[in-house]
Amino acid sequence: MRVLESALSAAARAGRLAVALLLGLAGSGLVGLPAQAAAPARPSPPAAAAPRESPADEVQLAALRRALGAVVALRVSATEGAPTARTLGEERSGSGVVIDADGLILTIGYLLLEAQTIEITTQDERRIPARQVAYDQATGFGLVQPLVPLPRLEAVPLGSVVGLEVGDALMVSTGGQGGVEVGVVRMVDRRPFSGYWEYHIEQALFTAPPVPNHSGAAVFNRKGELLGIGSLFVADAPGIGRVMPGNMFVPVDLLSPVLAEMRATGSTRASRRPWLGVSSQLLDGVVRIIRVERGGPAQMAGVLVGDTVLEVDGAPVDSLESFYKKVWTRGSPEDEVELTLRQGEEVRKIRVKATDRMQTLRKPRGI
């Protein structure tokens, strides 16, 4: 919190120019606020009194203070023997942001997969145990609840990516011990996104330049409203075929319709869908299997790394989106799915008995 107060106090003293810099109106790039910067060098006495901030500046600074103050760090330890530890690690770290008066924290869901322990670290270095409230496979969001009250953290309002235009300045914040890091970025695109891990959302927010420690990072607009949660680094932020490194954020527009269901049930109905246990990539215009989950449905059925997916239940596949959506049309998560695959020079039809991904995840001891 010391870092946050120092940064915002400096912004208040500098008036509109500092506000413009923080919000990216005077350029873009990372504005690092590490803990050791909490005691900035003493400024020289001003030659003249700085102009007073306008009421609009004061409102904007208050919104920034609330937004940045709501960001926390998360540290997660996976359950012993968790299969997801092979790709996500046994120890995971990221960020979250308080979105409700009871301390509910929104983060990216993959941090929470098969979590045994969850610890929140506030900006004044308090460590607070927490529990997982929800993981929603369909959107990718996760919810965390502290086990004791959080100190003086005000929830941020949820905004919307609707109306954002390419080039709009946004603010990204990641939590860490003793302070936050603030990134000033630009919105470069808003489009559907298909992930290699059997994941698709109809809209995703893409920003540049890339921000380190993006997992669970919070992106805000100029009003201090939360717009999205950081998911991953991408090399083609402006779109396929256009090289520009950046980040993908899951927009909070996807959260509002399912938040109550997530809190009540720990997930959503949309997450109960067939899962094959493959990682796929669109290469040279065809969908290819790049990884097969050990012990998963696809491996059990004979799907191999390097296979090309031609059809699902007889319907042609030409993208990750079409691949996933054809699988998800099945009525039950445990339905059989027929894949037409090219394995080397041979075309084969393989029947895969899918499963409910949520049922494959190892639960913490004692639950």
Side-chain angles (χ1 to χ4, degrees), residues 34-237:
Q36 59 266 29
R42 182 176 298 175
S44 302
R52 287 188 175 184
E53 292 76 39
S54 70
D57 285 343
E58 293 291 350
V59 170
Q60 204 166 36
L61 286 170
L64 285 171
R65 182 175 290 110
R66 175 179 58 195
L68 297 182
V71 177
V72 298
L74 296 176
R75 183 171 293 277
V76 177
S77 296
T79 59
E80 184 177 353
T84 56
R86 291 195 291 267
T87 53
L88 297 173
E90 296 180 356
E91 300 292 329
R92 307 161 194 170
S93 60
S95 303
V97 59
V98 179
I99 62 167
D100 196 273
D102 65 358
L104 186 70
I105 292 170
L106 178 66
T107 187
I108 197 66
Y110 61 72
L111 289 176
L112 309 180
L113 286 176
E114 301 183 297
Q116 177 64 42
T117 62
I118 304 172
E119 183 181 75
I120 300 164
T121 302
T122 62
Q123 293 174 28
D124 58 359
E125 302 185 37
R126 300 190 192 190
R127 296 185 176 183
I128 298 171
R131 66 179 180 89
Q132 177 179 321
V133 173
Y135 164 64
D136 182 38
Q137 183 180 211
T139 60
F141 286 128
L143 296 176
V144 171
Q145 186 74 51
L147 296 180
V148 297
L150 291 174
R152 303 186 309 278
L153 294 188
E154 186 178 354
V156 297
L158 302 183
S160 173
V161 298
V162 175
L164 281 181
E165 297 182 357
V166 172
D168 281 352
L170 304 172
M171 184 174 67
V172 179
S173 179
T174 60
Q177 294 185 8
V180 295
E181 284 194 354
V182 180
V184 180
V185 299
R186 301 280 180 175
M187 195 277 269
V188 296
D189 199 14
R190 186 160 54 91
R191 64 180 185 270
F193 173 78
S194 298
Y196 61 84
W197 60 97
E198 298 185 57
Y199 174 76
H200 177 83
I201 54 177
E202 293 301 329
Q203 59 175 326
L205 176 64
F206 294 86
T207 64
V211 174
N213 307 319
H214 53 260
S215 299
V219 61
F220 301 100
N221 62 16
R222 300 171 189 173
K223 299 177 182 178
E225 296 170 334
L226 181 65
L227 297 185
I229 295 295
S231 178
L232 73 159
F233 168 86
V234 295
D236 58 350

